[in-house]
């Protein structure tokens, strides 16, 4: 019985809050300011809840405890990155000190070569730190991180290998990997080795060829033959099925091709990003409040869990894509991103002060098929929410 009541309760509260969020009368300027003020207070709660050597990952409502992870987990850059984004807007010195402390903690990742996640880990953290401070020590760390990431480039497959060979995959590349290209482009464009950007472009072109379906939705994992680059299998790891559209993966794809357009001005990347945006925004399973279910083909809709992180990430990407188009498309991207941000800032998704361990947003889903991080506050949802608020403020207010 409890199994049925819980989803029904979640559905009703999401529907009610959808109405409440659309009725929100706050201007975006007020909403952005209020959310940075909230984040400034809430992240002090989070900072007090984590062990000194680990980074916060998610909060478990069943145990009331934070799951904090070590520095080599792919998400280790999101907490420092969120702190920098909050510090930039509030100039709060306690937040600043926590940002500095956690950067030191994750710095050894600059030589990590165990998977493709260096862009997430180092660019969200040290990238923001450098952007805000212009401290060249951070730039050096980004240069070293790009060199480490580039070791995973495989000329045979014309792409960066995501995970190492294991019993499931020979040479897997996941759509998430598009996000790591930003750091490679940035280092090449700021005096570093030009080869990194060439690798990023080659990777993006290979992904364009093999990862997408005709409707612009993306497979999650492409497993390559490491000897000759042929595709062995098109599959999923975190999605509902090999043939499904895992929501966060569509977000990574949208964000990835938008940033590749920004950094190269190659129209093919812009066209791809627009196609992905159309797939997401026209999808019949995108809920009214514009926060996706964890997969666009998730079973048990409308009772399926949402993924607030996908909503935050897609909002942030749409705000950037809106910079590169005009007219109806620009208006659509901006309006959709605004709806997503208003939903995320509503009581349905946003924590109340002191709750949820100190995370900002509730209702994200990490890896449903692995029974991992389902319907929880997760650190990367906070990061992309803050980034989207900043982007809205910088570009549209
Ligand atoms: N593998 C990154 C993600 O869960 O989105």
């Amino acid at each position: 019985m409890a199994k049925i009541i819980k989803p029904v309760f979640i559905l009703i509260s999401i529907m009610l809050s959808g109405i409440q969020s659309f009725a929100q009368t706050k201007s975006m300027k007020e909403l952005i300011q209020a959310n940075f003020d909230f984040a400034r207070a809430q992240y002090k709660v989070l900072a007090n809840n984590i062990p000194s050597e680990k980074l916060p990952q998610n909060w478990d409502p069943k145990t009331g405890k934070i799951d904090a992870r070590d520095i080599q987990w792919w998400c280790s850059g999101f907490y420092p990155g969120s702190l920098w984004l909050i510090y930039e807007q509030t100039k709060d010195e306690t937040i600043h000190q926590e940002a500095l402390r956690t950067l030191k903690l994750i710095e050894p990742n600059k030589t990590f070569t165990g998977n493709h996640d260096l862009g997430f880990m180092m660019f969200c953290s040290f990238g923001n730190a450098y952007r805000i401070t212009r401290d060249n020590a951070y730039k050096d760390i980004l240069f070293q991180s790009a060199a480490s990431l580039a070791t995973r480039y495989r000329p045979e497959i014309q792409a960066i290998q995501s995970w190492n060979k294991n019993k499931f995959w020979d040479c897997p590349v996941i759509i998430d990997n598009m996000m790591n290209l930003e750091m490679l482009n940035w280092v090449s464009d700021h005096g570093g080795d030009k080869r990194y950007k060439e690798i990023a472009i080659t990777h993006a072109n290979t992904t364009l060829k093999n990862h997408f379906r005709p409707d612009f939705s993306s497979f999650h994992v492409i497993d390559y033959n490491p000897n000759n680059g042929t595709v062995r299998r098109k599959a999923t790891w975190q999605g509902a099925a090999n043939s499904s559209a895992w929501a966060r993966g569509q977000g990574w794809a949208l964000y990835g091709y938008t940033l590749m357009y920004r950094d190269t001005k190659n129209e093919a990347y812009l066209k791809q990003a627009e196609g992905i945006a159309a797939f997401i925004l026209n999808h019949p399973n995108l809920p009214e409040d514009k926060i996706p279910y964890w997969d666009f083909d998730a079973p048990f809709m409308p009772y399926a869990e949402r993924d607030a992180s996908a909503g935050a990430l897609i909002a942030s990407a749409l705000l950037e894509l809106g910079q590169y188009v005009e007219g109806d498309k620009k208006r659509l991207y901006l309006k959709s991103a605004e709806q997503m941000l208003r939903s995320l800032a509503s009581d349905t998704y946003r924590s109340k002060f002191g709750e949820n361990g100190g995370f900002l947003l509730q209702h994200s889903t990490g890896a449903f098929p692995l029974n991992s991080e389902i319907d929880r506050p997760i650190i990367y949802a906070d990061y992309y929410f803050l980034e989207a608020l900043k982007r809205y403020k910088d570009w549209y207010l």
Side-chain angles (χ1 to χ4, degrees), residues 131-148:
R131 182 179 60 74
I132 293 165
T133 65
R134 303 287 159 188
D135 182 338
N136 279 328
Y138 298 148
K139 196 173 175 184
D140 290 347
I141 290 166
L142 289 166
F143 277 39
Q144 289 177 63
S145 303
S148 300

Side-chain angles (χ1 to χ4, degrees), residues 77-130:
F78 292 120
Y79 177 58
S82 297
L83 291 162
W84 280 107
L85 291 170
I86 299 166
Y87 169 67
E88 184 181 26
Q89 300 297 325
T90 65
K91 298 291 176 282
D92 186 295
E93 197 43 38
T94 307
I95 295 288
H96 186 209
Q97 289 307 317
E98 179 69 351
L100 294 172
R101 181 187 76 80
T102 52
L103 277 193
K104 273 218 157 27
L105 198 59
I106 69 166
E107 187 184 328
N109 283 338
K110 65 191 176 191
T111 55
F112 178 70
T113 57
N115 61 43
H116 69 142
D117 287 318
L118 263 283
F120 284 116
M121 293 149 94
M122 304 308 268
F123 203 64
C124 297
S125 52
F126 286 93
N128 276 305
Y130 179 75

Side-chain angles (χ1 to χ4, degrees), residues 74 117 120 163 174 176 220 238 246 248 252 366 380:
W74 74 275
D117 287 318
F120 284 116
W163 305 321
I174 64 175
D176 323 27
H220 183 201
Q238 282 157 264
W246 173 51
R248 202 163 50 259
W252 296 142
Y380 42 81

Side-chain angles (χ1 to χ4, degrees), residues 155-158 206 210 223-232:
E156 299 80 6
I157 68 164
Q158 299 274 289
T206 301
N210 293 327
D223 194 23
Y224 290 94
N225 178 327
N227 301 316
N228 60 20
T230 55
V231 172
R232 291 184 63 240

Side-chain angles (χ1 to χ4, degrees), residues 80-361:
S82 297
L83 291 162
W84 280 107
L85 291 170
I86 299 166
Y87 169 67
E88 184 181 26
Q89 300 297 325
T90 65
K91 298 291 176 282
D92 186 295
E93 197 43 38
T94 307
I95 295 288
H96 186 209
Q97 289 307 317
E98 179 69 351
L100 294 172
R101 181 187 76 80
T102 52
L103 277 193
K104 273 218 157 27
L105 198 59
I106 69 166
E107 187 184 328
N109 283 338
K110 65 191 176 191
T111 55
F112 178 70
T113 57
N115 61 43
H116 69 142
D117 287 318
L118 263 283
F120 284 116
M121 293 149 94
M122 304 308 268
F123 203 64
C124 297
S125 52
F126 286 93
N128 276 305
Y130 179 75
R131 182 179 60 74
I132 293 165
T133 65
R134 303 287 159 188
D135 182 338
N136 279 328
Y138 298 148
K139 196 173 175 184
D140 290 347
I141 290 166
L142 289 166
F143 277 39
Q144 289 177 63
S145 303
S148 300
L149 175 56
T151 65
R152 297 192 64 86
Y153 178 68
R154 307 283 177 255
E156 299 80 6
I157 68 164
Q158 299 274 289
I160 298 165
Q161 181 171 358
S162 294
W163 305 321
N164 295 339
K165 179 179 165 69
N166 62 26
K167 65 181 176 183
F168 301 107
W169 319 106
D170 268 5
C171 186
V173 177
I174 64 175
I175 191 64
D176 323 27
N177 205 341
M178 287 298 300
M179 300 295 286
N180 297 307
L181 307 184
E182 188 170 15
M183 180 171 73
L184 297 179
N185 291 343
W186 187 90
V187 169
S188 291
D189 289 344
H190 287 78
D193 192 335
K194 296 282 178 234
R195 196 175 67 93
Y196 302 147
K197 192 164 182 177
E198 285 161 21
I199 288 175
I201 290 170
T202 306
H203 181 99
N205 292 341
T206 301
T207 300
L208 201 55
K209 196 164 71 187
N210 293 327
H211 255 86
F212 291 92
R213 307 181 183 104
D215 65 1
F216 289 93
S217 70
S218 171
F219 287 94
H220 183 201
V221 189
I222 304 297
D223 194 23
Y224 290 94
N225 178 327
N227 301 316
N228 60 20
T230 55
V231 172
R232 291 184 63 240
R233 204 150 65 92
K234 300 192 175 199
T236 197
W237 184 246
Q238 282 157 264
N242 290 342
S243 59
S244 77
W246 173 51
R248 202 163 50 259
Q250 311 315 304
W252 296 142
L254 175 65
Y255 196 122
Y257 281 96
T258 303
L259 80 84
M260 283 306 295
Y261 175 70
R262 176 222 301 153
D263 290 344
T264 63
K265 295 290 173 267
N266 179 339
E267 291 287 329
Y269 300 150
L270 180 62
K271 206 164 146 280
Q272 188 69 14
E274 289 179 29
I276 300 163
F279 173 83
I280 293 171
L281 297 177
N282 297 332
H283 203 289
N285 294 336
L286 182 67
E288 184 114 338
D289 69 1
K290 301 260 187 284
I291 305 304
Y293 296 102
W294 65 274
D295 192 300
F296 283 94
D297 306 295
F300 309 121
M301 279 179 219
Y303 304 112
E305 282 77 3
R306 300 297 185 91
D307 183 9
S309 75
L313 155 70
I314 290 167
S316 189
L318 287 173
L319 290 172
E320 178 163 14
L321 189 55
Q323 293 285 291
Y324 308 135
V325 295
E326 294 299 334
D328 286 351
K329 268 187 205 153
K330 189 184 190 84
R331 278 188 287 279
L332 173 68
Y333 298 158
L334 179 58
K335 186 171 135 249
S336 306
E338 183 174 328
Q339 268 181 291
M340 289 169 188
L341 290 177
R342 285 189 181 278
S343 295
L344 293 172
S346 76
D347 287 350
T348 306
Y349 294 95
R350 218 203 63 188
S351 302
K352 295 204 171 40
F353 176 66
E355 292 184 355
N356 299 312
F359 286 91
L360 304 180
L361 296 183

